[in-house]
Amino acid sequence: MEQLHDIGALTDTAFFWTSLVKAVIAFLVVVVAVAMMTLAERRVSAFIQDRLGPNRVGPFGLLQPIADGLKNFLKEETLPGQASRLYFVLAPVLSMAPAFILFAVIPFAAPLPTPWGLVEMIVAPVPIGILFVLAFSSLGVYGIFLAGWSSNNKYSLLGGLRGSAQMVSYEVALGMSLIPIFMIVGNVTIPEMVWAQQRSVDAAVAGVAPETLGIWFAFPLGLAFFLFVVSSFAETNRLPFDLPEAEAELVAGYHAEYSSMRFALFMMGEYAHLLTASALMATLFFGGWDIPFWRGDNMVVVAPGIVAGAEPAVWKTILTFFSFAIKTLFFAFVFIWVRWTLPRFRYDQIMDLGWKVMLPTALAYIVLMAVSILALDSLAVPYGLGYGLILTAINLIATFVFLYLVDSDRVIMGGSAKRPVPPVVPEAVVVDREELIGAGSALTPRDRGEE
Amino acid sequence: MLRSYIPILILLALSLGMALVIIVFSQLVSPLRPTPVKESPYESGILPLGTAHERFSVKFYMVAILFIVFDLETVFLIPWAVSMRELGWGGFFAASIFLVVLTVGLIYEWKRGGLRWE
């Protein structure tokens, strides 16, 4: 079972056509998934708030996104008189288009053997891997800032400024939380990261395929996962960090002046970003398409058309795709769950968290993981499950220390501050009638007892 | 391999194409009845006072400058991280000089109040 399987490489023509098919199908799947996410958001929020949510259009309300889209098309597109026309129209495009190509580098299933050769189940198997995601996800800042600036509206400008400052602040921590993964995997391509998380394989493939850690990175890199999740929430402007659109203070923030389909483009971009972030959490920290406790899917493409590890098969591709979909949808659900559970931060708390907690923690964590990995290598600990478990123990301690320090309230003053807690049931207030009359400017003559 | 970038171009064309089709189609279908009130910027029902393109807080510039420094740090750390296990302790000490310099910068920034938002 554990050996090399030569399925055959695709010719350039076959590669082009399979890529075209994969790109179009993946694009359509993401468009439909984005539409369904808008419905899921409303249904889950309804469930959390003990309501029903939209359930009238189609079975279970499944056609609601289509109805919403149709409505958006027929609504008037307002254009503020003093807006910069070009940027105003360009901003939603810039916000949506990058979000829809991020998933290109995420593998969504095990490689598929076909009569023409081996087809990797990833839209673009680029060697730069995760760097592509980092590069393109930061382009979203342009859309938000241009939207805020071009609207010529004070709310929009503030929302755009806040959004861009927040996104660049957390991008640093996001990038740094990935560095320990690069240390362990020794590569930046995402298929190899998936392979490194799969169960250790026999010595038969040890020489030809990269070594594997055999444990999902959420365990040996637990604190990195925590930093990544928090930064992802901030990057996607989702609720504990949705300051750019904070409706209570900025109306709708950077898209206050947008209506109709241009507004819908922002929403599509946001949900596409959310799906990509969920897929990244699943892929980088929860094994991607790996099915746990099963060795039949442990395979990696070592050269064009050549697979090391288990033998690829069509049914394995389908099974692993479901594994990937379940993990991704779970994290998408977590995004919605958090949005309808947690309150919003204050802006100074967000910036403090980004620069004074996330960044120093990420820096310290990089040093800690580098020292741990190099020490384990120096002690000649065999790379594999035991190695991963030692790192897991180190991470548990690091996470505990981190949470303890953050919770001690020295860096961020906020709702968790250890102030004296007022009694839950206030004591009965005895109102001194004379005092009330003395202070009572707002009292009517009748309240003062003067008929 | 350079050919693996082709699908990204396909996707870029698809997503830009969809965005443009949506913008153009929506422009054609939707009614357009502008009035002076509709065209004025929304300020919670109050007549807008002056332009929105005012000067804004210098703190945002600070964040932008700090971002460039630390994002570049991340970028420089990636090549070291990828080959860290081959480079061993020598590489680690070389990288830690770089890390220490930037950490000192961060501490200085923090103490000078560059990270303070009030």
Side-chain angles (χ1 to χ4, degrees), chain A residues 138-444:
Chain A
S138 38
L139 289 184
V141 177
Y142 288 102
I144 287 187
F145 188 75
L146 272 184
W149 185 79
S150 66
S151 303
N152 204 351
N153 175 321
K154 284 154 201 156
Y155 292 128
S156 301
L157 182 73
L158 280 177
L161 276 176
R162 281 182 176 190
S164 39
Q166 169 191 333
M167 282 170 84
V168 299
S169 302
Y170 281 82
E171 203 174 299
V172 176
L174 184 87
M176 288 195 177
S177 69
L178 295 177
I179 284 183
I181 299 184
F182 302 149
M183 291 176 183
I184 286 190
V185 179
N187 206 325
V188 293
T189 61
I190 304 183
E192 284 212 15
M193 293 178 185
V194 173
W195 166 247
Q197 296 176 66
Q198 294 182 331
R199 251 186 82 179
S200 316
V201 285
D202 297 347
V205 284
V208 285
E211 299 169 294
T212 72
L213 202 59
I215 181 169
W216 289 356
F217 287 159
F219 302 103
L221 298 175
L223 190 54
F225 177 59
F226 184 82
L227 295 176
F228 184 80
V229 169
V230 174
S231 317
S232 297
F233 273 81
E235 283 285 294
T236 49
N237 298 323
R238 292 289 296 189
L239 206 92
F241 305 104
D242 74 335
L243 268 288
E245 38 197 283
E247 67 274 3
E249 35 196 290
L250 294 182
V251 190
Y254 62 91
H255 53 56
E257 292 289 353
Y258 282 87
S259 67
S260 173
M261 229 32 217
R262 291 185 195 143
F263 167 75
L265 283 180
F266 279 116
M267 286 294 110
M268 286 165 75
E270 184 184 321
Y271 283 103
H273 217 121
L274 185 156
L275 277 175
T276 312
S278 316
L280 277 178
M281 288 175 200
T283 304
L284 298 178
F285 294 97
F286 283 85
W289 45 261
D290 176 41
I291 299 173
F293 310 114
W294 186 47
R295 305 185 78 167
D297 65 337
N298 295 350
M299 56 185 95
V300 65
V301 180
V302 287
I306 299 173
V307 171
E311 191 172 2
V314 177
W315 60 274
K316 284 180 183 172
T317 303
I318 297 170
L319 272 185
T320 49
F321 174 73
F322 279 114
S323 169
F324 173 76
I326 290 169
K327 290 173 194 174
T328 304
L329 290 181
F330 171 75
F331 284 109
F333 173 72
V334 170
F335 266 99
I336 298 175
W337 185 8
V338 167
R339 168 165 180 187
W340 295 97
T341 308
L342 295 183
R344 183 181 297 134
F345 279 105
R346 271 200 328 259
Y347 200 69
D348 62 321
Q349 290 174 328
I350 284 205
M351 297 313 270
D352 277 357
L353 182 68
W355 288 103
K356 298 183 184 171
V357 177
M358 303 288 284
L359 178 61
T361 311
L363 281 172
Y365 185 65
I366 287 171
V367 174
L368 173 74
M369 289 317 287
V371 170
S372 314
I373 291 169
L374 288 174
L376 284 176
D377 279 351
S378 302
L379 296 171
V381 177
Y383 193 70
L385 199 59
Y387 199 97
L389 289 177
I390 297 171
L391 288 182
T392 308
I394 294 171
N395 267 271
L396 275 178
I397 298 167
T399 309
F400 180 79
V401 170
F402 168 69
L403 292 179
Y404 183 81
L405 288 180
V406 169
D407 203 34
S408 71
D409 214 43
R410 248 164 276 148
V411 186
I412 299 178
M413 288 294 285
S416 69
K418 292 184 185 66
R419 302 190 188 98
V421 182
V424 178
V425 181
E427 292 165 32
V429 183
V430 182
V431 181
D432 182 5
R433 192 181 162 81
E434 292 305 310
E435 195 183 309
L436 259 184
I437 291 168
S441 52
L443 295 180
T444 61

Side-chain angles (χ1 to χ4, degrees), chain B residues 55-95:
Chain B
R55 292 184 291 174
F56 47 81
S57 172
V58 72
K59 290 170 200 153
F60 290 107
Y61 294 93
M62 293 292 298
V63 169
I65 293 168
L66 281 178
F67 161 71
I68 291 175
V69 173
F70 287 98
D71 210 41
L72 273 179
E73 179 182 8
T74 317
V75 172
F76 280 129
L77 282 179
I78 288 172
W80 164 67
V82 166
S83 48
M84 189 195 75
R85 296 183 67 218
E86 287 101 85
L87 294 176
W89 290 106
F92 172 73
F93 287 121

